[in-house]
Amino acid sequence: MSHLQLLDTYFSQHRSQHLEELFEFLSIPSISSLSEHKSDMVHAANWLANALKKLNIENVSIDETKGHPVVYGEWLHAEGKPTILFYGHYDVQPVDPLNLWDSEPFQPEIRDNKLYARGASDDKGQVFMHLKMIEALFATEGTLPVNVKFIYEGEEEIGSPNLPAYVEANKEKLAADIILISDTGLYAPGKPAVCYGLRGLTGVQINVRGAKSDLHSGLYGGGVQNAIHALAEILASFRDKHGKILVEGFYDNVLPLTEEERQAYQELNFDEEALKEEIGVDELFGESGFSYLEQTWARPTLEVNGVFGGFSGEGIKTVLPAEAGAKITCRLVPNQDPDEIVSLLRQHIEKHKPAGVDITIAEFDKGAPFLTPFDHPVIQAAGRSYEKIYQVPTAFIRGGGSIPIVASFDQILGLPVVLMGFGLNSENFHAPNEHFHLENFDKGLRVLGDYLHEIAKTTF
Amino acid sequence: MSHLQLLDTYFSQHRSQHLEELFEFLSIPSISSLSEHKSDMVHAANWLANALKKLNIENVSIDETKGHPVVYGEWLHAEGKPTILFYGHYDVQPVDPLNLWDSEPFQPEIRDNKLYARGASDDKGQVFMHLKMIEALFATEGTLPVNVKFIYEGEEEIGSPNLPAYVEANKEKLAADIILISDTGLYAPGKPAVCYGLRGLTGVQINVRGAKSDLHSGLYGGGVQNAIHALAEILASFRDKHGKILVEGFYDNVLPLTEEERQAYQELNFDEEALKEEIGVDELFGESGFSYLEQTWARPTLEVNGVFGGFSGEGIKTVLPAEAGAKITCRLVPNQDPDEIVSLLRQHIEKHKPAGVDITIAEFDKGAPFLTPFDHPVIQAAGRSYEKIYQVPTAFIRGGGSIPIVASFDQILGLPVVLMGFGLNSENFHAPNEHFHLENFDKGLRVLGDYLHEIAKTTF
C-alpha cells in the first residue's frame, strides 16, 4: 500500500479516539488574555507536552518565558533529510459574549460534522492535527520521512509578545529548513490554499493641537485654526481620490507581482459581486490597475483606523476644538521596511502641516511583511499535497493581514515559511460559535502526512 | 438738578437696599435645565412679577408656555413717546462642579466689590438693573420719559425653545419701537460697548457609511473605501488653507462691512498678542484681507465641531471603519440665510462625495444673524448714554456668537435690537464663581436711566 493508503486506513480506524483526545484538549479554557486562566494555560501546555512525549518526540520541554510558556519537542533521526519546524499556538480567544454561543465554548460538541468549541479551528484543532499526523506516520511506517521540531506558544492571541525573544535566544535549537504553520484557511470550501506571503504593518497616531483648550466657535471662530480641519487636511493629503497613496517614496521598494502570480490570482476567478453583497457596498474602491486580490494581497495601504476630536455626542455643541487625533496604519508588502515607511509618513505630515497647529506623532508596533517566493519548491510541494487529497488545483495565495510572528521567524531564522491551514473564514474564530469543519480535519491530516513525504524528496 | 444727578443721588441712597433685594432674587436656584428646580423657577417668576408690580408696572402677568413661564408687564402712559421692550431671563446655568466655588452659588456674597452668585452677571443681575432703573425714574421724576414693556423668560439657558412661539402669538401685546437686551458685556473693563450685530448659526451632521460593518483592514484594506478617509476628503474640501470657505455661493449674500465699521473696529486697537497668549497659540489663522475682529464679528465661518469614526481608544485596532461622522456649524453674518446656506452645504457635499460611500445629512437648529445698522439712531443714542457715565468713547461692536432669540425678535417683531450689557467676559458666567463687578452695576443703572431720556428725544 502507498503511504497515503496507509494513512487513510489509520486515520479512519482511529477517528473516534482522535476526536476524544481533541475534545480533551479543547476543554481546557486556555485564554491567554485573562489572568484568571493562568493555571489553565499551564494545564494546556502540560497536556501538549505529554501528547508530544507519547509520540516518541524527544527533548520535550515546557520553556518558561516572561509570559505563558512555549512547548518544544523534536525528532531528528531522518538522517540527511530536511527538518520541518512546526509552529502553532495552544492559547485561545476569550469567549464573550457567552450568551451568543449555542453550546458551551469549552464543552466541545459535533453538529452536522462540524466541531464546535473555542479553539476548534484557531488553533488547537490544527495543532492537534500536527500531532496525529506524526502518530500515524510512526504507526504505519515506523519512522518519519523528515526530521521534525515543534514550537507551540501560548501567546499568539495577545500578539506573541515574548516569542521573538525566545526564538532569538534559541536560534540553534530551532534551526530547520522549513517552518510549517497551520493557522490559516482554505481559499474556499473544497478549495485548498498555500499562503506564501503576508502583509506587514506599521502605523502612527497623529495628534493635532491648536489652542490650549476648546474655544467658543462664536467668539473665536474665523480667527483661530480648527484642530479637526487641520487634521482633515492632513488625512485628505495622504491619498488621491482613487486610493493611490501620495506619500513621497511610499511605493519605491514595493516588489512587483510576477506575471505567474498575477496569472494565478486571475485563475481564482474572485467573485467581486459576492464580496460586494457580503460587505454591503455598491462599489469596490482601490488603486487602479490592480485587481481586488492584487490590491488586498500585494499592494500596500494607508488606512485611517480611527479619528476623534471635538464634540461627538448627540446634537450640537458649537465648540472650536483645540485637539484632534487620528490613528493610521499601513499594510506593507515585500520589500517595504516598516521603519522607513514611518519616516516617510513623518516627512509627509511635516510637509503638509497646516498653519496654526502643533503636531505630535506616536508610533505603533511594527511588523515586517513576509514572502516565500511563489515558485519556491516547498511552496509548490505543499500545493501538490493538497491537490492529491482535495482533488482540485491548489490556490496559491497571499494574505492581506499580518501575522507579525511569521515575519519574525522569517527574519530571525531565515527560513522559508509555509502556511498550510485548514480553517475556513466562516468558522467564527474570535467570535461565538467557533467551529471547525471535520471534513477539513480529516483531509488535512492526510495532506500533512503526505507533505512530509513530499519534502523528503524535494530538493531546495 | 439734571435727571442724571437725581438718579445718582437716588441710587447712592438706596444701594444697600437694592443689593439686599438682588441677594434675595439671586438666592432662588432657578436652574432651568434641571427638573428638580421646577418649583424654584415658579418662585423666581413670582418674585419678578411681584417686583414689577411694586414699580407701578401694569398688566403684570405670568404667562404659561410649554416650558417655564414668561413674565410680562408694561407701562404705557408716555403719550407720543417711543416704547422700549426690555428683555432678559431669570433662569440660570447649573452650578456643577460645586466644589470649585469659593462661596455657595445661591448664597450671594460680595468680595472686593464683586458680587458672587450664580446669575449675578448672567442674567438676573442685569434684569434687576432694569427694574431698579424704572424705580429710580418714578421716584425722582414721578413718571417715565418713554413707554416700557418687559418680557423676561425662564428658558434662555436651554435655548429659548418656547419663546419664539410666545412672541409670535403675542405680537400685538409686544409691539414696541426698540428692544433693549442687557445680557452681553463691556468691550473691556472700563470700556463700554453697544453690540449692534450678532452672527447667526446653522449646521449639519454629515454621516458617511461604507460597508455594512467595520472590516478587517488586513483582509479588505486596499479594495474597499474607508469611511474616515471619505469624510476627511469632504471636510478638507470645505476650506482653502487660509480658511476661506470654498462652498460655492457661500459668500454671495454677505453684507460687506461699511468703511465706518472697519474704522470703528480698527480704533479699538485689538491686542492680538494678548489673545495669542490667552488661548495659547503661536499664530492666529483666518481669511486674509480681514482683521481678527472683522473675521470673528463680520465674516461667516464653517467649523468642524466634532468628528468621530473607527477606533479611538488607546493603542491600535486595525479596523477599516464602515462609519464616520462630523458635526459642522457655520456662523452666519447679515444677510446670509440659514436655510440657503444649508442647501449650499448639501450641494457641496453631494458634489464632493467620494466613491464607495453613502452620505446622509442631518440639519441642526438654525438661527438667523441680526444687525441693527451701525448708524441707527437708537444705537448711537446708546453710545452717548454709556459715554456720559463711563467718560470714555463707547465701542460699537458686534458679537461673533449667536443669541437665536435676538434674531427671532428682529424677525418676528421687526424692531431694532439694542444690546446694552454690563458684564465682563472674565465674570465666569456658565462656570464656577460667577460674579458681577458692582462698579458696572452702579454705572449701568445710570446708563439705562439716561438711555430712556436719550430715546425720548431721539427721532427714528
Side-chain angles (χ1 to χ4, degrees):
Chain A
M1 284 206 284
S2 74
H3 68 263
L4 266 182
Q5 285 168 314
L6 289 167
L7 286 175
D8 195 49
T9 307
Y10 183 83
F11 287 128
S12 299
Q13 285 174 345
H14 294 78
R15 192 172 192 262
S16 317
Q17 186 199 320
H18 286 169
L19 287 174
E20 215 168 282
E21 290 173 34
L22 177 53
F23 274 39
E24 200 180 282
F25 189 29
L26 291 172
S27 68
I28 306 168
S30 49
I31 302 172
S32 51
S33 62
L34 301 175
S35 57
E36 63 261 40
H37 288 283
K38 183 131 184 75
S39 66
D40 296 314
M41 294 303 298
V42 173
H43 184 180
N46 281 326
W47 191 97
L48 200 49
N50 286 332
L52 286 170
K53 283 178 195 162
K54 280 186 215 157
L55 298 177
N56 299 322
I57 299 303
E58 297 165 357
N59 296 321
V60 172
S61 60
I62 297 178
D63 299 342
E64 294 305 320
T65 69
K66 282 185 189 164
H68 301 302
V70 170
V71 178
Y72 176 80
E74 63 185 30
W75 184 93
L76 305 172
H77 303 296
E79 215 172 309
K81 293 292 179 186
T83 302
I84 299 180
L85 173 62
F86 288 85
Y87 163 86
H89 62 94
Y90 64 85
D91 65 324
V92 299
Q93 281 276 321
V95 295
D96 302 320
L98 195 54
N99 64 321
L100 295 184
W101 286 77
D102 294 327
S103 55
E104 291 295 320
F106 297 110
Q107 292 176 18
E109 205 176 286
I110 295 172
R111 299 194 294 273
D112 194 20
N113 204 33
K114 290 179 282 236
L115 170 55
Y116 285 83
R118 171 58 85 226
S121 164
D122 179 18
D123 182 42
K124 281 170 162 177
Q126 302 202 46
V127 164
F128 184 76
M129 288 162 69
H130 294 168
L131 272 52
K132 294 300 110 174
M133 174 271 290
I134 297 294
E135 176 188 302
L137 286 173
F138 274 128
T140 56
E141 306 177 20
T143 185
L144 300 179
V146 295
N147 301 295
V148 292
K149 294 181 177 179
F150 302 89
I151 173 176
Y152 294 124
E153 70 157 322
E155 297 189 304
E156 198 272 347
E157 299 294 2
I158 53 172
S160 305
N162 297 297
L163 199 62
Y166 177 88
V167 174
E168 189 70 51
N170 291 281
K171 262 178 166 168
E172 283 181 35
K173 171 162 138 176
L174 300 173
D177 299 291
I178 308 173
I179 303 168
L180 191 157
I181 301 177
S182 303
D183 196 18
T184 50
L186 306 185
Y187 178 70
K191 177 78 173 175
V194 183
C195 180
Y196 67 97
L198 290 170
R199 294 197 285 193
L201 187 70
T202 195
V204 295
Q205 176 158 335
I206 305 173
N207 293 306
V208 177
R209 171 166 281 287
K212 66 184 172 189
S213 61
D214 287 352
L215 300 173
H216 188 293
S217 78
L219 300 182
Y220 299 90
V224 179
Q225 178 62 288
N226 177 315
I228 300 179
H229 262 299
L231 177 64
E233 278 178 35
I234 295 170
L235 298 181
S237 76
F238 281 131
R239 310 196 322 189
D240 74 7
K241 65 179 180 166
H242 303 294
K244 190 182 169 189
I245 295 155
L246 301 177
V247 174
E248 211 176 311
F250 191 83
Y251 293 104
D252 283 1
N253 293 326
V254 169
L255 191 71
L257 283 158
T258 65
E259 268 318 303
E260 290 71 23
E261 287 177 287
R262 300 192 86 157
Q263 182 68 23
Y265 300 170
Q266 207 182 318
E267 282 166 11
L268 293 173
N269 288 315
F270 181 77
D271 187 345
E272 296 197 352
E273 291 308 313
L275 173 71
K276 290 196 281 189
E277 178 73 19
E278 174 203 334
I279 64 175
V281 296
D282 294 333
E283 53 185 330
L284 296 174
F285 174 89
E287 205 185 346
S288 47
F290 296 93
S291 71
Y292 176 81
L293 290 182
E294 291 168 352
Q295 287 166 347
T296 54
W297 287 353
R299 297 295 296 173
T301 68
L302 188 157
E303 299 285 352
V304 189
N305 307 115
V307 66
F308 51 91
F311 175 72
S312 57
E314 205 176 320
I316 190 176
K317 188 175 177 188
T318 53
V319 71
L320 198 170
E323 285 182 278
K327 292 167 190 282
I328 285 165
T329 51
C330 296
R331 297 284 171 176
L332 306 180
V333 298
N335 293 319
Q336 289 180 300
D337 174 63
D339 289 312
E340 194 194 334
I341 292 297
V342 166
S343 146
L344 296 177
L345 290 177
R346 284 183 180 277
Q347 285 165 32
H348 180 92
I349 294 164
E350 185 52 41
K351 194 172 144 193
H352 290 80
K353 190 187 91 58
V357 290
D358 290 325
I359 293 180
T360 52
I361 294 169
E363 298 181 15
F364 294 128
D365 286 348
K366 304 180 182 89
F370 120 80
L371 187 76
T372 301
F374 172 74
D375 54 4
H376 195 291
V378 302
I379 296 295
Q380 294 300 319
R384 287 195 298 277
S385 292
Y386 272 117
E387 194 162 333
K388 276 180 233 172
I389 308 300
Y390 280 86
Q391 302 286 319
V392 295
T394 301
F396 292 91
I397 68 173
R398 300 200 202 182
S402 313
I403 312 181
I405 195 59
V406 173
S408 296
F409 283 131
D410 184 28
Q411 293 176 314
I412 301 172
L413 299 177
L415 304 179
V417 181
V418 182
L419 294 165
M420 294 179 77
F422 303 95
L424 282 169
N425 280 337
S426 61
E427 288 179 333
N428 289 11
F429 33 91
H430 297 207
N433 297 318
E434 177 176 349
H435 58 279
F436 190 22
H437 284 71
L438 289 177
E439 178 196 338
N440 295 319
F441 173 77
D442 294 326
K443 287 186 171 150
L445 286 165
R446 291 152 173 88
V447 170
L448 289 168
D450 184 69
Y451 188 58
L452 266 59
H453 279 286
E454 280 286 346
I455 288 300
K457 64 187 187 199
T458 296
T459 312
F460 61 99
Chain B
M1 284 206 285
S2 73
H3 66 263
L4 266 181
Q5 287 170 313
L6 288 168
L7 285 175
D8 195 48
T9 307
Y10 184 83
F11 288 129
S12 300
Q13 286 173 344
H14 293 79
R15 193 172 190 262
S16 318
Q17 185 198 323
H18 286 169
L19 286 174
E20 213 170 286
E21 289 173 34
L22 176 55
F23 274 38
E24 198 181 283
F25 190 28
L26 290 172
S27 69
I28 306 168
S30 50
I31 303 172
S32 50
S33 61
L34 302 175
S35 56
E36 63 261 40
H37 288 282
K38 182 130 185 75
S39 66
D40 297 313
M41 294 302 299
V42 173
H43 183 182
N46 281 327
W47 190 96
L48 200 49
N50 286 333
L52 286 170
K53 282 178 196 163
K54 281 185 214 157
L55 298 177
N56 299 324
I57 300 303
E58 298 164 358
N59 295 320
V60 173
S61 61
I62 297 179
D63 297 344
E64 294 305 320
T65 69
K66 283 185 188 164
H68 302 301
V70 170
V71 176
Y72 176 81
E74 63 186 28
W75 184 92
L76 305 173
H77 303 296
E79 214 172 311
K81 294 292 179 185
T83 302
I84 299 180
L85 173 62
F86 288 85
Y87 162 86
H89 62 94
Y90 63 86
D91 64 325
V92 299
Q93 282 276 322
V95 295
D96 303 321
L98 196 55
N99 64 320
L100 295 185
W101 286 78
D102 294 328
S103 55
E104 291 295 318
F106 298 109
Q107 292 177 18
E109 206 176 284
I110 295 171
R111 301 194 292 274
D112 195 21
N113 205 30
K114 289 181 282 232
L115 170 54
Y116 286 82
R118 171 57 86 226
S121 164
D122 179 17
D123 182 38
K124 281 170 161 176
Q126 302 202 48
V127 164
F128 184 77
M129 288 162 70
H130 295 168
L131 273 51
K132 294 299 109 174
M133 172 271 291
I134 296 293
E135 176 187 304
L137 287 173
F138 275 128
T140 56
E141 307 178 21
T143 185
L144 300 180
V146 295
N147 301 296
V148 293
K149 295 181 177 181
F150 302 90
I151 174 177
Y152 294 124
E153 70 157 323
E155 297 189 304
E156 198 271 349
E157 299 294 1
I158 53 172
S160 305
N162 297 298
L163 198 63
Y166 176 87
V167 174
E168 188 70 51
N170 291 281
K171 263 178 166 167
E172 283 182 36
K173 170 162 139 176
L174 300 173
D177 299 290
I178 307 174
I179 302 169
L180 191 158
I181 301 178
S182 302
D183 196 18
T184 51
L186 305 185
Y187 178 71
K191 177 78 171 174
V194 183
C195 180
Y196 67 97
L198 290 170
R199 294 197 286 192
L201 187 69
T202 194
V204 296
Q205 176 157 336
I206 305 173
N207 293 306
V208 177
R209 171 166 279 286
K212 65 184 170 188
S213 61
D214 286 352
L215 300 174
H216 188 291
S217 78
L219 301 182
Y220 298 91
V224 179
Q225 178 62 287
N226 178 314
I228 299 178
H229 262 300
L231 177 64
E233 280 176 35
I234 295 170
L235 298 182
S237 75
F238 280 130
R239 311 197 320 192
D240 74 7
K241 65 178 181 167
H242 303 294
K244 189 182 169 192
I245 296 156
L246 301 176
V247 174
E248 211 176 311
F250 191 83
Y251 293 104
D252 283 0
N253 293 326
V254 168
L255 191 71
L257 283 157
T258 63
E259 269 317 303
E260 290 70 24
E261 287 177 287
R262 300 192 87 157
Q263 182 68 23
Y265 299 171
Q266 205 183 319
E267 282 166 10
L268 292 173
N269 288 315
F270 181 77
D271 187 344
E272 295 199 352
E273 291 308 313
L275 174 71
K276 290 196 282 188
E277 179 73 20
E278 174 203 334
I279 64 174
V281 297
D282 294 332
E283 52 185 330
L284 296 174
F285 174 90
E287 206 186 347
S288 47
F290 296 93
S291 71
Y292 176 81
L293 290 183
E294 290 168 352
Q295 287 166 348
T296 54
W297 287 354
R299 298 295 296 172
T301 69
L302 187 156
E303 299 285 352
V304 189
N305 307 114
V307 66
F308 51 91
F311 175 71
S312 57
E314 204 175 321
I316 189 175
K317 188 175 177 189
T318 53
V319 73
L320 198 170
E323 286 181 276
K327 292 166 190 282
I328 285 165
T329 50
C330 296
R331 297 283 171 177
L332 306 180
V333 298
N335 293 317
Q336 289 180 300
D337 174 64
D339 289 312
E340 193 195 335
I341 293 296
V342 166
S343 148
L344 295 176
L345 290 177
R346 285 183 179 276
Q347 285 165 32
H348 180 92
I349 294 164
E350 184 54 39
K351 193 173 146 193
H352 289 81
K353 190 188 90 60
V357 290
D358 290 325
I359 293 178
T360 51
I361 294 168
E363 298 180 17
F364 294 128
D365 285 348
K366 304 182 182 86
F370 120 79
L371 186 77
T372 301
F374 173 74
D375 53 5
H376 195 291
V378 300
I379 296 295
Q380 294 300 320
R384 288 195 297 276
S385 291
Y386 272 116
E387 195 162 333
K388 276 181 233 172
I389 308 300
Y390 279 87
Q391 302 286 320
V392 296
T394 301
F396 292 91
I397 68 174
R398 299 201 203 183
S402 312
I403 311 181
I405 195 60
V406 173
S408 296
F409 282 131
D410 183 28
Q411 293 177 313
I412 302 171
L413 299 177
L415 305 179
V417 181
V418 182
L419 294 166
M420 294 179 78
F422 303 94
L424 281 169
N425 280 336
S426 61
E427 288 179 333
N428 290 12
F429 35 90
H430 296 207
N433 296 318
E434 177 176 348
H435 58 278
F436 190 22
H437 284 71
L438 289 177
E439 177 196 339
N440 295 318
F441 172 78
D442 294 327
K443 287 189 170 146
L445 286 165
R446 291 150 173 88
V447 171
L448 289 168
D450 183 70
Y451 188 58
L452 267 58
H453 278 284
E454 279 287 345
I455 287 300
K457 62 186 186 198
T458 295
T459 310
F460 61 100

